[in-house]
Amino acid sequence: MPNPLEQAAVKYGTDKRAALHGYTCTYHRHLAPLRERVATVLELGIHKGASLLMWKEYFPQAVVHGLDIAGAPRGLNGKVGRTRIICHRGNQIHKKVTDAIADACGGTIDIVVDDASHRDEDQKRSFLNLWPRVTPGGYYIVEDVCCNYWDSFGNQWPPHEGATINFLRGLVHDVNFRGHRVDPDSKHPMNVRRPKALIADLQERFPNTDMDLTIEEIVFANSTVLLRKRGDL
């Protein structure tokens, strides 16, 4: 079966294509059911804008936003035929910047893709800032987690405790902890309860978010991680 995301990636020359990072196969497998429903996309990191063009073609109803400290590549923002692409200048970790983009999208964003600095603290801070702004049923994608193993990014093998990949691995508990059975005689729906120690840990790690309730699925693929928010888009 043809992969329209791969076709768009090759057409515009993004490194997400199969011959390089190979993300398009994974993304199409998970995002295809949402193609006609996605209304907003935000990619952190623009570079030359090839990925923005790819997302615009793949999601025909979507307005695609890009955020980069360098702003819009020359000729991309507002060019005829590219009216569904909006570029913003700013730092991915600045919450005021990403909140303003989310507000411009109507409050939430259907798909967020972090392809910016690839640095641990930036990836984690961006996720914590933007996850509450992801639309129920939408996705947050962290690319190039291979950098968590590279000394050129201040990392190592095995990844250090603060590496993004270890942070994301810890979120696996957030997906599964609702199934922890505490009292077999409980009258709670589905006979499950959340252990107090885990709730306390989640509240400490994610203050002012609903993180413990909203991660439906995490997919670890080659150098990319997809997190789906509970609900329907």
Side-chain angles (χ1 to χ4, degrees), residues 2 19 31 33 67 72-73 100 104-105 108 110 149 157 181 183 225:
L31 301 179
L67 173 64
C105 292
T108 63
D110 297 340
Y149 306 88
W157 172 260
R181 191 181 296 263
D183 177 3
V225 181

Side-chain angles (χ1 to χ4, degrees), residues 91-143:
N91 193 311
Q92 71 176 99
I93 65 171
H94 290 168
K95 190 172 184 296
K96 285 185 178 180
V97 173
T98 53
D99 278 350
I101 296 172
D103 289 342
C105 292
T108 63
I109 306 167
D110 297 340
I111 307 289
V112 178
V113 182
D114 183 352
D115 187 19
S117 75
H118 311 329
R119 297 192 176 277
D120 294 323
E121 291 307 315
D122 293 349
Q123 288 176 328
K124 290 185 290 185
R125 179 51 52 195
S126 296
F127 176 76
L128 292 172
N129 287 344
L130 278 164
W131 179 257
R133 294 299 204 128
V134 174
T135 310
Y139 279 86
Y140 191 104
I141 299 171
V142 186
E143 292 189 345

Side-chain angles (χ1 to χ4, degrees), residues 220-233:
F220 289 86
N222 183 22
S223 295
T224 187
V225 181
L226 297 80
L227 301 97
R228 182 164 60 88
K229 198 163 195 177
R230 182 165 293 119
D232 296 314
L233 187 63

Side-chain angles (χ1 to χ4, degrees), residues 179-205:
H180 185 89
R181 191 181 296 263
V182 177
D183 177 3
D185 298 320
S186 169
K187 298 186 184 301
H188 188 279
M190 295 179 64
N191 195 24
V192 297
R193 287 186 175 177
R194 300 177 179 88
K196 292 181 179 180
L198 181 54
I199 286 291
D201 174 64
L202 291 168
Q203 290 174 338
E204 181 179 353
R205 286 194 289 139

